[in-house]
Amino acid sequence: MNIHSILQLLVLINETKTQAEVAAELDKLLHSYGFLGYDIWLYHRADSARAEVVLMDNWPESWRTLYASRKYSLIDPARRMLSSAQRPFRWRDAIHAFRDDPYRKRVLRLVQDAAKFNRVDGYVFPIFGKTGLIGQFNISGPAIELSPVELSLFETAGRRIFWRLLELQGLAAELDRCEALDTDLTKRQMEVLILLADGMTSNEIAKELSISSHTVDWYINVIQEKFNAKNRQHVIAIAFRLGLIT
């Protein structure tokens, strides 16, 4: 175990002043374990679409180009497993989980191509907020066994790095604001919200749900207050950004 290296990063990460300093601390930690690569992602809603932003990574440009040109993101087992994962998992576990997948041959080709860049195995650490999955932290290299304690500490380190990068890039305040919103909607409020997002008027929603238009307006006002939204259009934009509607 090299737990001291993880603890040292946890102490020093908040003292970093630039992204380069964050990268340097992470590089030292990964080097002490033998890992080679990392990437840290932010997931958020931009109006009606989910945006995926790479906050920091050290993947070779040639690998990024190959990954994109062969459209591996469509069949990558780690990306697919992430959508339902509730805890950290290993690359090889994701590959095994999709062993009967019709894209198995492409997955094996992905594995072979990654190995050419010395990415034989790795770990994926989902990062959750109040609104669900908001990011991920990945590390890769040769096949390295992490103990349960190390896995837990790496998860904590990934989350701390994630939020430090957001702070340095000026994104933390906006994400905090979204995280602080009251998104605990009732079934009826969700029904109204979905129909509102479909472009229906209060009268049309009332007819669809067999309630009065005044009641619909009341539900919308409640949702607007919960979201701290300026108007109905703002309610819909926030709902998309939070992933409540798609």
Side-chain angles (χ1 to χ4, degrees):
M1 286 191 186
N2 199 6
I3 290 177
H4 175 73
S5 297
I6 310 177
L7 297 176
Q8 185 177 32
L9 179 141
L10 291 173
V11 171
L12 296 176
I13 200 65
N14 287 333
E15 298 178 9
T16 55
K17 303 299 182 184
T18 66
Q19 181 170 313
E21 291 180 4
V22 175
E25 292 298 332
L26 180 54
D27 281 334
K28 284 192 291 186
L29 170 61
L30 297 184
H31 179 74
S32 70
Y33 270 89
F35 289 109
L36 301 174
Y38 64 82
D39 51 291
I40 304 165
W41 294 73
L42 165 67
Y43 299 136
H44 69 96
R45 288 278 174 178
D47 295 327
S48 62
R50 190 181 87 159
E52 300 181 355
V53 179
V54 180
L55 295 177
M56 189 173 74
D57 77 324
N58 70 343
W59 283 92
E61 187 61 37
S62 53
W63 168 246
R64 293 196 198 98
T65 301
L66 181 65
Y67 189 93
S69 66
R70 294 186 174 174
K71 299 181 179 180
Y72 280 146
S73 62
L74 300 176
I75 54 91
D76 188 336
R79 287 178 62 93
R80 294 161 70 188
M81 190 167 177
L82 181 68
S83 62
S84 60
Q86 298 297 316
R87 59 190 180 194
F89 60 90
R90 200 166 178 172
W91 282 12
R92 69 182 186 189
D93 294 332
I95 294 169
H96 180 73
F98 290 93
R99 60 190 178 280
D100 297 324
D101 191 84
Y103 300 108
R104 181 68 176 177
K105 288 185 178 180
R106 287 193 65 196
V107 169
L108 293 178
R109 187 179 182 186
L110 165 61
V111 172
Q112 292 170 355
D113 283 342
K116 295 175 184 177
F117 292 86
N118 298 316
R119 270 61 173 181
V120 176
D121 199 3
Y123 293 84
V124 178
F125 301 88
I127 299 174
F128 296 100
K130 182 179 178 182
T131 58
L133 183 70
I134 58 174
Q136 70 178 105
F137 168 55
N138 306 316
I139 55 178
S140 59
I144 297 173
E145 298 290 335
L146 293 179
S147 71
V149 173
E150 290 172 310
L151 199 64
S152 179
L153 287 174
F154 261 105
E155 182 178 21
T156 301
R159 185 172 178 84
R160 292 280 290 276
I161 293 170
F162 172 84
W163 281 102
R164 187 57 184 153
L165 290 172
L166 291 183
E167 291 169 353
L168 293 173
Q169 296 180 25
L171 300 172
E174 173 65 15
L175 191 57
D176 271 335
R177 187 186 70 79
C178 291
E179 288 288 286
L181 294 177
D182 182 0
T183 59
D184 186 16
L185 303 182
T186 66
K187 179 181 178 182
R188 180 63 88 187
Q189 288 169 353
M190 278 299 304
E191 290 172 342
V192 170
L193 178 61
I194 291 170
L195 295 176
L196 182 66
D198 283 340
M200 288 189 178
T201 65
S202 291
N203 288 334
E204 290 170 335
I205 295 173
K207 184 177 180 179
E208 180 72 21
L209 299 179
S210 299
I211 56 179
S212 72
S213 60
H214 293 298
T215 302
V216 171
D217 289 337
W218 179 79
Y219 278 124
I220 294 175
N221 286 336
V222 170
I223 298 171
Q224 189 170 320
E225 289 180 6
K226 284 189 172 187
F227 286 3
N228 193 25
K230 298 175 182 178
N231 49 46
R232 294 187 178 198
Q233 290 72 28
H234 197 197
V235 165
I236 295 171
I238 292 174
F240 273 119
R241 190 159 56 243
L242 295 176
L244 296 175
I245 52 179
T246 57

